[in-house]
Amino acid sequence: MEMNQTRRIVLRGAGSFGALSALIMAGVLKPTAAFAADWNKAAFEAKDTPAALKGLGAGSTADSKDLVLKVPDIAENGAVVPVDVISNIPNTTSIAILVDKNPTALSAQFSFANGAVPEVSARIKMGQTSLVKAVAKAGDKFYIAQKECKVTVGGCGG
Amino acid sequence: MADPMKIRAQMKGDVAEIRILMSHAMETGQRKDAAGNTVPAHFIQSITIDVGGKRVVDGQTGTAISRNPVFGFKMKGAKAGDKVVVNWVDNKGDKRSDEATVA
């Protein structure tokens, strides 16, 4: 949690180089920490979606049609479920993928910069049929899209 | 030492498509082996992509990413010949860095 707060201060102060270098000089941050944040243990080890969202700093989320989440209706193999997330929300800076009923809800989170399109495709594991959620951050706000994916155990095609 | 990644970066119009295949067991820590012992968690936690010397994607992953992870990203402002550098680090501190060139 302490690391998260530090990170937030860094992000807020990203416009002012002075504040950042002051932090580095004060030994609060290693120079590399300004680029790659430490693994967000609180968010990734959260057992359910609300706790994971809290770990990501997303207190409240608004539904958005501009956030496109593509998952299959039925996944015959829960070990490899293709997920595509495309954010058409202006100024999207990060996208997270969550699975409600997985032992730990948060699958991945990606931050985008320097021309990266806020879009990601990945393959995730799903323990059972569940809602899959995509959460995008734009400015200070968080947006959410969700879709159910049925996981058929045994690969019989359901 | 993990096997090299396969990285493909290709210009499609003005957008560079970057596809990455990583070689990793991605153990969740919940699976049991034949003897009934829990297989310890071993998974990639951090992924970064630099294109042309600039950090483009900074990602964190949990145990719910499939074995031998595949990721796809897109970026604007890249050009053929730009160097793409992908890094990952897992929860045991193993790491891997591989490069490709935008085609």
Side-chain angles (χ1 to χ4, degrees), chain A residues 37-54:
Chain A
D38 281 357
W39 194 62
N40 190 340
K41 194 176 160 80
F44 278 101
E45 292 187 352
K47 303 290 177 207
D48 55 26
T49 301
L53 288 176
K54 203 177 154 203

Side-chain angles (χ1 to χ4, degrees), chain B residues 24-40:
Chain B
H24 202 284
M26 297 301 286
E27 283 293 349
T28 60
Q30 311 211 1
R31 204 169 63 87
K32 288 188 168 55
D33 64 15
N37 301 314
T38 302
V39 181

Side-chain angles (χ1 to χ4, degrees), chain A:
Chain A
M1 203 58 212
E2 196 187 329
M3 193 59 218
N4 273 340
Q5 276 160 1
T6 313
R7 183 172 177 232
R8 229 164 273 150
I9 292 162
V10 170
L11 289 175
R12 209 180 294 140
S16 104
F17 184 74
L20 191 58
S21 47
L23 274 173
I24 292 169
M25 272 186 282
V28 177
L29 284 175
K30 289 177 220 136
T32 51
F35 295 97
D38 281 357
W39 194 62
N40 190 340
K41 194 176 160 80
F44 278 101
E45 292 187 352
K47 303 290 177 207
D48 55 26
T49 301
L53 288 176
K54 203 177 154 203
L56 290 172
S60 64
T61 53
D63 289 341
S64 176
K65 282 179 189 153
D66 294 326
L67 182 59
V68 183
L69 168 66
K70 293 180 192 165
V71 287
D73 294 328
I74 296 173
E76 292 189 12
N77 182 0
V80 187
V81 182
V83 178
D84 291 310
V85 186
I86 300 159
S87 175
N88 297 314
I89 302 164
N91 304 318
T92 300
T93 51
S94 80
I95 288 175
I97 301 169
L98 301 100
V99 181
D100 268 4
K101 289 190 181 166
N102 269 1
T104 53
L106 183 59
S107 296
Q109 191 217 359
F110 297 99
S111 299
F112 305 97
N114 293 315
V117 180
E119 180 175 331
V120 57
S121 65
R123 293 179 189 172
I124 61 169
K125 291 176 197 165
M126 289 180 64
Q128 56 179 302
T129 298
S130 171
L131 275 175
V132 177
K133 294 180 174 173
V135 174
K137 184 181 184 198
D140 291 333
K141 291 189 173 149
F142 290 87
Y143 299 90
I144 193 163
Q146 55 188 24
K147 188 173 181 288
E148 192 184 55
C149 176
K150 282 200 167 70
V151 176
T152 59
V153 182
C156 307

